[in-house]
């Protein structure tokens, strides 16, 4: 069946790069998304990548997609305390808002 | 441009009661989705409305219902509340062919 998997926690030092990984199973997915949720808040769309791309960069964020292995990663350069949050990976189809979500990775920043 | 607005933000109910949550999407967005978020189950899709029609539905009992009005505002209702319904209920409005979702801050429901 359809499933999106992420590790539950990642701990990094302030200033280092964070790499959050995700695997998905639905090869027909058109888009893959990264959302961020800060404590007590809703989810914020960080970025998304179209399935025929293998990389997308947006300021400190780099998304890498390995479609063959169904592996998606989010790299955050120069991680700051404000990056502390839960990061969700999700997959979806064209104009279909019923996304399939991972359980979220909690990013912990060590001083 | 105003974001997605959910009301109320917090509410406490007792078992057996019912609750109605409201969501105003971003202006111009016609799709509204509802999610339940709990520590144990994570994010679970409830339903999606588009132009007043329920287009997709998740695997929740019939106690969970929703509707969308002609101005795209949406409400969801949970009847005969159970303790397990305690959760953060998130609403998201959708835009674009890439399926981007824009979330509200959520309504945190506690059932006692």
């Amino acid at each position: 069946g359809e499933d999106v998997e992420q590790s539950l926690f990642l701990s990094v030092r302030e200033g280092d790069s964070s790499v959050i990984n995700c695997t998905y199973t639905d090869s027909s997915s058109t888009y893959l998304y990264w959302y961020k949720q800060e404590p007590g808040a809703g989810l914020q769309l960080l970025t998304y990548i179209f399935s025929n791309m293998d990389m997308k960069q947006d300021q400190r964020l780099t998304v890498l997609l390995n479609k063959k292995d169904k592996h998606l990663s989010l790299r955050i350069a120069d991680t700051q305390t404000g990056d502390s949050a839960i990061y969700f990976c999700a997959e979806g189809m064209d104009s279909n808002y019923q996304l399939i979500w991972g359980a979220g990775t909690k990013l912990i920043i060590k001083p | 441009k105003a974001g997605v607005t959910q009301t109320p933000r917090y509410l406490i109910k007792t078992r057996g009661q019912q609750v109605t949550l409201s969501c105003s999407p971003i202006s111009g967005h016609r799709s509204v989705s509802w999610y339940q978020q709990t520590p144990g189950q994570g994010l679970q899709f409830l339903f999606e409305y588009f132009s007043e029609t329920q287009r997709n539905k998740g695997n929740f009992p019939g106690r969970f219902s929703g509707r969308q009005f002609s101005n795209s505002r949406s409400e969801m209702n949970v009847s005969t509340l159970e303790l397990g319904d305690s959760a953060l209920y998130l609403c998201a409005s959708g835009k674009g062919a890439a399926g981007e979702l824009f979330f509200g801050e959520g309504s945190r429901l506690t059932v006692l």
Side-chain angles (χ1 to χ4, degrees):
Chain A
E2 301 163 338
D3 202 8
V4 176
E5 293 191 354
Q6 305 176 238
S7 45
L8 293 182
F9 298 96
L10 175 67
S11 179
V12 298
R13 291 203 178 280
E14 190 176 355
D16 286 352
S17 291
S18 305
V19 180
I20 303 170
N21 295 301
C22 167
T23 57
Y24 61 99
T25 56
D26 189 351
S27 58
S28 60
S29 291
T30 314
Y31 294 95
L32 295 128
Y33 309 86
W34 284 104
Y35 283 82
K36 175 184 180 183
Q37 185 177 33
E38 297 183 38
L43 278 72
Q44 173 195 355
L45 176 63
L46 283 177
T47 186
Y48 64 90
I49 188 167
F50 189 48
S51 59
N52 70 354
M53 298 170 63
D54 51 21
M55 186 180 93
K56 182 178 181 181
Q57 189 153 4
D58 183 2
Q59 299 183 331
R60 292 191 299 123
L61 304 179
T62 302
V63 177
L64 295 177
L65 175 61
N66 181 327
K67 198 169 180 181
K68 174 176 166 290
D69 294 337
K70 298 191 185 70
H71 182 265
L72 181 74
S73 68
L74 173 70
R75 178 177 179 270
I76 306 172
D78 187 23
T79 308
Q80 303 298 308
T81 54
D83 296 323
S84 292
I86 300 175
Y87 291 80
F88 291 90
C89 167
E91 59 175 336
M93 303 284 290
D94 282 330
S95 301
N96 184 340
Y97 301 108
Q98 186 176 359
L99 307 186
I100 300 167
W101 297 82
T105 300
K106 185 170 184 176
L107 179 61
I108 300 162
I109 315 299
K110 296 181 287 188
Chain B
K1 199 174 192 181
V4 177
T5 305
Q6 290 187 247
T7 57
R9 289 290 315 278
Y10 302 91
L11 65 168
I12 300 173
K13 294 284 187 178
T14 56
R15 276 181 298 175
Q17 287 187 309
Q18 72 159 10
V19 66
T20 299
L21 308 178
S22 178
C23 172
S24 293
I26 292 171
S27 177
H29 290 193
R30 290 160 64 190
S31 170
V32 174
S33 300
W34 288 90
Y35 286 84
Q36 182 195 65
Q37 187 178 30
T38 59
Q41 298 295 317
L43 269 168
Q44 293 194 286
F45 174 78
L46 281 154
F47 25 68
E48 184 228 346
Y49 287 87
F50 185 89
S51 294
E52 301 179 67
T53 300
Q54 187 181 82
R55 193 161 65 169
N56 291 298
K57 187 177 189 304
N59 189 25
F60 276 81
R63 300 185 297 107
F64 291 81
S65 63
R67 59 179 175 166
Q68 187 180 32
F69 302 96
S70 58
N71 61 359
S72 292
R73 191 177 71 85
S74 177
E75 289 181 348
M76 68 162 280
N77 184 276
V78 188
S79 62
T80 320
L81 284 166
E82 300 176 1
L83 295 179
D85 297 333
S86 294
L88 181 66
Y89 289 88
L90 292 164
C91 165
S93 69
K95 168 208 166 184
E100 303 115 284
L101 290 175
F102 298 86
F103 283 81
E105 299 279 287
S107 293
R108 184 165 293 282
L109 170 65
T110 302
V111 182
L112 301 177

